[in-house]
Amino acid sequence: MTDRSLRLVLVSTPIGWVGSGAGGGVELTLSSLVQGLAQQGHQLTLIAPRGSSLPKGCSTLSIKLVEVAGADQPSWQHADEDAPVLIPPMGVLPAMLEEALRLSAEADAVLNFGYDWLPMWITPWVPAPMFHLISMGAVSMVMKRAIESVSRWNQGRLAFHTLRQASDFDLLQPARVVGNGFDLSQYIFREESGGPLGWAGRIAPEKGLEDAAAAAAALGDRLLVWGLREDDAYANAVEAAVPAGTIEWRGFLSTSDLQKELGDCRALLNTPKWNEAYGNVVVEAMACGVPVIAYDRGGPGELVRSGENGLLVSPDDVSELTAAVSRCETIQRRACRDWVERHASCAVFSQRVETWIREGLAADGNITAMH
């Protein structure tokens, strides 16, 4: 018997409205998954902060957008290890969860994208089956414990982007890894291999831009930099440490504009200083045919197959990073695109997520979602 469509309530990140860029890679993940699940015929309601819009490519699909007012939730991204839980007065996070639970009576499951304590804590106590796509590693002790607590109660409710991300947590069972997905129709493959070096990500210390800039400077090369400038003092310090003209700031661009410029690069440098959960820009570059030279750390170290779609170098080793640039032309650009098509398309990603949710519901005895 053919599986019937699922009725899903999706809860967006509470850090900025969808389209603002404040949610970082979660926004791209959300966009891809909403599109993929809708194309598979599932009935979706997306709950997001006021001002949000449906992701590009979703306007013609049957998706209901519910906007909720409230103050943005502080990000755990830069929190200290022992940071406490903070919820602003009139915060958007509890307001979105209230709406999700109200709508869950007519849904099969709630899928949460927000990396925060409150949705984890309420999961065992609400009648709605709540699933969580975890977007970061263990950035603080309270979040580590909250995620591990859900794991001990029912690990089937958790999924991760990579095994390296999941390794941050003490799980009782092997982690469910769903990867990530991209609308590949938005990324034009570029066969030519010339052009400058590129770097993309939030402009913040944990992303390690200074190492990429130092490598470009050592080669006398330009480094195109794309991303939301979160920390001006850090950005200015990185620029001051290399010769004038080394860094060319390109700003935070739409996917369409980013891939046009990114595709011109001969390589993308990826230099995370922390356990990156996945590495969206790594896959975006490869989708354009651009090889990635990455530190063998976190998600990027799991995505880059050295010699196939890029090169891995020792973490924090700028000299090794610099030397690897001369070898990037040994990577076939078509092989980069082929890897993405096999492992990280919208369809592949959404099917993994659907399977995870169906199996989780079935394990809980909810057989109606399976038929």
Side-chain angles (χ1 to χ4, degrees):
M1 182 179 294
T2 302
D3 291 337
R4 72 159 175 84
S5 65
L6 293 171
R7 299 163 299 173
L8 301 174
V9 175
L10 280 58
V11 184
S12 178
T13 172
I15 305 171
W17 42 271
V18 176
S20 67
V26 178
E27 286 193 33
L28 194 151
T29 299
L30 178 65
S31 173
S32 174
L33 189 55
V34 166
Q35 185 172 346
L37 290 173
Q39 288 174 340
Q40 290 172 201
H42 300 297
Q43 302 171 50
L44 307 179
T45 299
L46 173 60
I47 300 175
R50 179 165 292 175
S52 296
S53 56
L54 286 175
K56 185 176 180 180
C58 297
S59 58
T60 61
L61 300 172
S62 180
I63 304 165
K64 181 180 180 182
L65 174 63
V66 177
E67 299 178 63
V68 176
D72 286 352
Q73 183 69 13
S75 173
W76 286 95
Q77 184 81 52
H78 303 119
D80 294 334
E81 184 179 7
D82 59 352
V85 174
L86 298 174
I87 301 177
M90 305 300 291
V92 74
L93 175 59
M96 288 200 300
L97 292 173
E98 287 175 8
E99 186 66 13
L101 295 176
R102 185 182 70 80
L103 294 174
S104 68
E106 302 299 325
D108 292 306
V110 175
L111 175 53
N112 168 56
F113 290 81
Y115 184 98
D116 220 291
W117 174 85
L118 182 58
M120 301 297 162
W121 184 83
I122 67 172
T123 297
W125 306 107
V126 297
M130 288 193 69
F131 292 77
H132 305 273
L133 181 52
I134 308 299
S135 60
M136 290 192 287
V139 295
S140 72
M141 187 54 65
V142 71
M143 282 304 302
K144 176 176 166 64
R145 289 175 176 168
I147 291 168
E148 290 171 350
S149 179
V150 174
S151 169
R152 289 190 293 273
W153 173 73
N154 185 345
Q155 193 171 312
R157 300 293 183 84
L158 302 175
F160 301 86
H161 290 294
T162 59
L163 283 171
R164 292 193 181 194
Q165 172 205 10
S167 69
D168 267 7
F169 304 96
D170 296 324
L171 305 175
L172 300 182
Q173 303 164 15
R176 168 75 71 160
V177 173
V178 295
N180 213 340
F182 300 79
D183 178 2
L184 299 185
S185 68
Q186 295 192 52
Y187 298 89
I188 300 170
F189 171 67
R190 304 285 286 276
E191 188 71 57
E192 60 270 23
S193 60
L197 299 173
W199 185 97
R202 288 178 297 99
I203 316 301
E206 70 274 7
K207 296 292 188 175
L209 172 60
E210 66 272 22
D211 288 6
L219 293 165
D221 217 323
R222 277 191 308 148
L223 181 70
L224 306 189
V225 175
W226 299 275
L228 192 67
R229 194 159 164 154
E230 278 193 356
D231 188 328
D232 273 334
Y234 167 74
N236 292 335
V238 170
E239 187 170 29
V242 294
T246 300
I247 293 178
E248 187 173 323
W249 302 104
R250 304 301 299 164
F252 177 76
L253 303 182
S254 67
T255 296
S256 176
D257 291 336
L258 172 63
Q259 63 87 30
K260 289 176 185 175
E261 297 188 6
L262 184 55
D264 284 334
C265 292
R266 71 180 188 277
L268 178 83
L269 305 185
N270 186 258
T271 50
K273 296 290 184 178
W274 69 315
N275 186 20
E276 194 87 52
Y278 187 75
N280 287 340
V281 296
V282 168
V283 180
E284 289 186 281
M286 292 191 293
C288 299
V290 178
V292 178
I293 303 172
Y295 283 160
D296 191 2
R297 171 184 281 145
E302 199 168 309
L303 301 174
V304 175
R305 310 290 172 86
S306 212
E308 177 187 348
N309 55 19
L311 297 166
L312 291 175
V313 301
S314 302
D316 309 320
D317 191 328
V318 176
S319 61
E320 191 176 340
L321 180 73
T322 306
V325 173
S326 65
R327 295 187 284 121
C328 69
E329 292 185 1
T330 64
I331 306 298
Q332 298 295 314
R333 291 171 72 94
R334 172 53 67 181
C336 299
R337 174 73 180 208
D338 288 348
W339 185 92
V340 176
E341 291 177 352
R342 292 195 307 273
H343 298 283
S345 68
C346 264
V348 169
F349 178 44
S350 57
Q351 185 57 62
R352 290 194 195 113
V353 171
E354 177 187 339
T355 300
W356 161 48
I357 292 174
R358 287 192 187 277
E359 290 181 359
L361 292 172
D364 291 344
N366 188 342
I367 59 172
T368 61
M370 299 296 292
H371 300 290

